[in-house]
Amino acid sequence: MSSQERITQAIYRAVDELNKTFPKGVHLEKSPDAPLYGQASKLESIDLVNFIMEAEEQLNDEFGTSITVTEERALSQQNSPFRTLGTFTDYVSGLLKEHGINGD
Amino acid sequence: MFVDFLQEVWRTHLDAEAVIWRGRAYPYGWLSERFDYWTQQLATEKIPHGAVVILEADFSPNAVALFLALVERACILVPLTDSVRAKRAEFISTAQGEVSIAIDENDAVTIRPLERTATHELYQHLRAEGHPGLVLFSSGSTGESKAAVHDLRPLLEKFKVRRHALRTITFLLYDHIGGVNTMLYTLSNAGCMVTLQDRSPDAVLRAVEEYRVELLPTSPTFLNLVLISEAFRRHDLGSLKTITYGTEPMPESTLKRFHGLFPEIKLLQTYGLSEVGILRSKSKTSDSLWVKVGGEGYETRVREGILQIKAQSAMLGYLNAPSSFTSDGWFNTGDAVETDGEYIRILGRKSEIINVGGEKVYPAEVENVIQELDSVAEVTVYGEKNLITGNIVCASVTPAFELDDSRRKEFVGQIKQHCRQKLQNYKVPVRIEVVRDAQHTERFKKARR
């Protein structure tokens, strides 16, 4: 499995965990276009926080890293990395690259 | 002249047990003589009236007699116990101690002068009035310890009303408002103080059984430890009539479980602060967290959800912090409360509220839910800064059993699952840390961060 796939799978595992916390009927799609936080999303801010923490844990377990997603840099991006699962994946791929994990 | 009323009570109870210390009973006749001895000794040692005396001790026969002799000499007492050893130097310096009296574990007393002159204006006030004083440090479980200065003369006033003589455990410490209150209450009614060398659940309950203790003033954390350790199964608590608990919010789960096991023991919540003393309180029922607080000498009101108290014997002020009184003389407790008619329910310290995206979370509420799980021994909930929601709720949990690393995730998952069923989503801990260690201070309060 390529690093990129491993990243995606780790993030999808975090989606599974998050979905367990939702009431019936609410559900985050495992697709790059799935809206994470913003206009089209049903997630509340606390759900986003939970998702990020879970994703960090899954990624750090997978790659043996210690990345932190919730930092100033993530929030000061021109385009929020939290718009969709796809933009989130791109952002964490960048972070992992800094830790020597090349997803390309 | 300040403790005459105590001596009057003692005179008619010379053979009654006053203090039990290390298995030996010291009757009121002995205590009277010892009080006279120390009164004389303080004069011989030329300890000035109004001197600030650091009194390092735990409850012992001499610690009791000396406390009262110093009061009689109108000294300013600063009791310190071993539980604050980490802050000992800081406290002595903050209190501007002029004389050191140390009582060791064999009840031997050492008196020596300290090279310092205490000039704080609150001390000047006490000296001008010729009244004894008492300095109590707040536990500082959150933030810096504040030193509250009391005028002991009005504080002693409420003990002049005679109440029941009880055999009482001095569980709360010698340097704590609750401990001082226990001592003065017991001595003013010719009750018996059962002292402890060890405050573990088994040691305390053993003392209850051995000395037929009737009253145990304690903390919710300790009652929880009694349940976890199952110490109550190993000792006969038949003599125990009342347990009072205060100093921190009681988890409802602990209260209900304890009451279920011991329906005949009356559980009473007390409400006390270093700054205003202990208020008389009345719990709605033994398994209810709703209480009426107040009693003679106290008025209460709630402003913006925070309990305020007007007390006849409130502290004069802090040595090391600005006053916490409103302009019309009410003490702002900083405790957030809910009200229901005359009853209040304490939610927790305002300063401990975790603000998650504008929503308030009281650690006690979340702790209460987590504590419902049998797999959890102890839990402390706290806030952590977060860029998205301002703060997030986190929990440190000590499991009730050995937990190997492979099951850690499952354990954390169960706790979150349970919280989700019981709490709104923003109150569910985002991060749960599993710890092995006990999570309480030496004063048996939750160790907050």
Side-chain angles (χ1 to χ4, degrees):
Chain A
M1 209 180 339
S2 72
S3 292
Q4 193 57 56
E5 274 172 67
R6 286 166 68 199
I7 294 172
T8 305
Q9 289 311 314
I11 289 173
Y12 284 176
R13 284 198 294 278
V15 172
D16 285 337
E17 288 300 317
L18 182 73
N19 279 334
K20 282 188 203 163
T21 72
F22 290 147
K24 274 206 163 63
V26 186
H27 184 77
L28 178 64
E29 288 293 324
K30 281 191 264 184
S31 131
D33 297 331
L36 203 50
Y37 192 68
Q39 250 180 345
S41 166
K42 292 195 183 81
L43 267 61
E44 294 174 28
S45 58
I46 191 71
D47 299 325
L48 178 65
V49 171
N50 272 307
F51 169 71
I52 294 170
M53 293 279 179
E54 188 61 41
E56 275 175 8
E57 204 175 312
Q58 294 287 352
L59 289 162
N60 288 330
D61 281 355
E62 178 71 31
F63 294 103
T65 47
S66 55
I67 59 161
T68 314
V69 182
T70 324
E71 49 177 24
E72 291 287 353
R73 191 154 53 126
L75 293 150
S76 56
Q77 303 273 311
Q78 196 121 54
N79 295 313
S80 163
F82 305 122
R83 278 171 298 147
T84 64
L85 268 188
T87 59
F88 181 77
T89 307
D90 291 346
Y91 182 75
V92 297
S93 300
L95 285 182
L96 285 167
K97 199 180 270 178
E98 290 170 18
H99 285 74
I101 312 290
N102 205 329
D104 295 333
Chain B
M1 76 189 156
F2 298 110
V3 297
D4 290 354
F5 70 100
L6 291 176
Q7 290 170 293
E8 261 169 52
V9 175
W10 302 354
R11 260 195 285 279
T12 52
H13 295 84
L14 293 176
D15 296 327
E17 291 175 345
V19 181
I20 290 178
W21 182 75
R22 293 197 166 188
R24 195 184 143 188
Y26 296 79
Y28 277 99
W30 181 93
L31 188 60
S32 284
E33 281 170 27
R34 207 61 192 160
F35 169 79
D36 292 340
Y37 167 80
W38 283 118
T39 305
Q40 189 56 49
Q41 203 61 25
L42 292 173
T44 311
E45 295 266 352
K46 298 196 171 63
I47 306 296
H49 300 284
V52 178
V53 180
I54 305 291
L55 192 50
E56 292 185 81
D58 195 353
F59 285 110
S60 69
N62 273 324
V64 173
L66 246 170
F67 187 101
L68 298 172
L70 286 163
V71 170
E72 193 63 6
R73 202 167 170 78
C75 288
I76 297 163
L77 284 74
V78 189
L80 294 181
T81 62
D82 198 42
S83 76
V84 298
R85 62 182 165 276
K87 291 184 158 187
R88 179 178 175 273
E90 176 197 325
F91 284 3
I92 293 174
S93 153
T94 301
Q96 304 179 345
E98 295 171 311
V99 178
S100 158
I101 300 184
I103 306 178
D104 70 12
E105 70 266 24
N106 299 316
D107 211 22
V109 180
T110 315
I111 302 179
R112 67 186 173 88
L114 298 171
E115 301 297 319
R116 202 187 275 106
T117 308
T119 54
H120 198 283
E121 57 177 349
L122 295 173
Y123 292 160
Q124 305 291 17
H125 170 83
L126 284 168
R127 288 166 182 159
E129 298 278 332
H131 291 178
L134 178 66
V135 179
L136 296 171
F137 284 88
S138 65
S139 56
S141 45
T142 49
E144 203 196 338
S145 299
K146 292 181 195 165
V149 182
H150 286 266
D151 182 338
L152 267 169
R153 203 189 145 110
L155 198 146
L156 289 169
E157 207 56 35
K158 73 169 172 177
F159 296 101
K160 293 184 179 169
V161 181
R162 290 294 300 274
R163 300 183 196 279
H164 293 291
L166 295 172
R167 297 178 69 80
T168 305
I169 285 220
T170 52
F171 177 86
L172 302 172
L173 301 177
Y174 187 67
D175 58 356
H176 182 275
I177 184 75
V180 172
N181 195 66
T182 304
M183 171 172 70
L184 294 174
Y185 179 93
T186 310
L187 298 179
S188 60
N189 296 298
C192 174
M193 294 169 60
V194 177
T195 67
L196 298 164
Q197 272 69 51
D198 172 355
R199 286 174 170 81
S200 66
D202 273 293
V204 174
L205 299 194
R206 193 179 308 122
V208 168
E209 177 175 355
E210 198 170 342
Y211 301 109
R212 308 303 296 158
V213 167
E214 297 162 291
L215 171 65
L216 168 63
T218 186
S219 67
T221 292
F222 179 77
L223 289 181
N224 191 41
L225 294 177
V226 167
L227 293 177
I228 304 168
S229 65
E230 300 197 338
F232 60 87
R233 295 194 200 282
R234 296 184 284 274
H235 307 280
D236 173 13
L237 305 187
S239 60
L240 206 51
K241 291 181 186 147
T242 308
I243 292 178
T244 61
Y245 61 90
T247 76
E248 61 182 351
M250 170 67 110
E252 202 164 350
S253 44
T254 304
L255 182 63
K256 291 224 149 78
R257 187 147 173 247
F258 203 95
H259 180 62
L261 284 166
F262 297 101
E264 66 289 354
I265 298 178
K266 215 155 82 178
L267 291 162
L268 292 178
Q269 183 166 4
T270 60
Y271 185 80
L273 293 165
S274 308
E275 292 88 348
V276 292
I278 310 282
L279 280 69
R280 296 179 70 77
S281 62
K282 201 169 172 246
S283 304
K284 231 179 202 174
T285 56
S286 273
D287 63 352
S288 165
L289 291 168
W290 290 94
V291 285
K292 250 194 295 204
V293 295
E296 217 172 303
Y298 291 102
E299 287 174 79
T300 59
R301 71 181 188 191
V302 178
R303 288 287 179 275
E304 293 171 2
I306 304 297
L307 181 66
Q308 297 189 344
I309 295 173
K310 197 169 223 173
Q312 258 171 28
S313 71
M315 66 164 182
L316 300 171
Y318 293 119
L319 288 178
N320 56 350
S323 164
S324 299
F325 291 101
T326 61
S327 53
D328 52 346
W330 290 77
F331 178 74
N332 192 344
T333 64
D335 275 330
V337 296
E338 258 176 353
T339 53
D340 177 13
E342 292 180 284
Y343 287 89
I344 61 164
R345 181 188 154 116
I346 296 156
L347 300 169
R349 306 288 301 159
K350 186 166 182 260
S351 59
E352 284 168 8
I353 293 175
I354 305 165
N355 189 324
V356 180
E359 304 274 7
K360 282 181 193 169
V361 182
Y362 291 96
E365 184 188 1
V366 182
E367 283 162 0
N368 187 18
V369 167
I370 296 177
Q371 194 81 68
E372 287 169 358
L373 293 165
D374 288 337
S375 54
V376 171
E378 284 188 89
V379 53
T380 310
V381 167
Y382 56 97
E384 200 175 276
K385 290 243 171 294
N386 182 276
L387 285 169
I388 296 170
T389 50
N391 296 280
I392 54 172
V393 176
C394 300
S396 275
V397 180
T398 310
F401 46 80
E402 278 295 315
L403 186 71
D404 57 61
D405 283 349
S406 60
R407 293 196 46 219
R408 194 169 276 246
K409 209 162 175 148
E410 188 191 330
F411 177 65
V412 167
Q414 280 167 359
I415 296 170
K416 285 194 182 178
Q417 184 60 32
H418 179 69
C419 288
R420 274 187 219 112
Q421 287 166 2
K422 297 283 184 92
L423 298 165
Q424 285 124 300
N425 60 358
Y426 61 90
K427 295 179 180 170
V428 176
V430 172
R431 197 197 297 282
I432 294 177
E433 184 192 10
V434 180
V435 296
R436 251 165 234 232
D437 307 333
Q439 301 191 47
H440 52 268
T441 65
E442 291 192 51
R443 292 184 181 198
F444 290 94
K445 286 176 82 168
K446 275 189 197 299
R448 303 224 172 259
R449 327 193 152 201

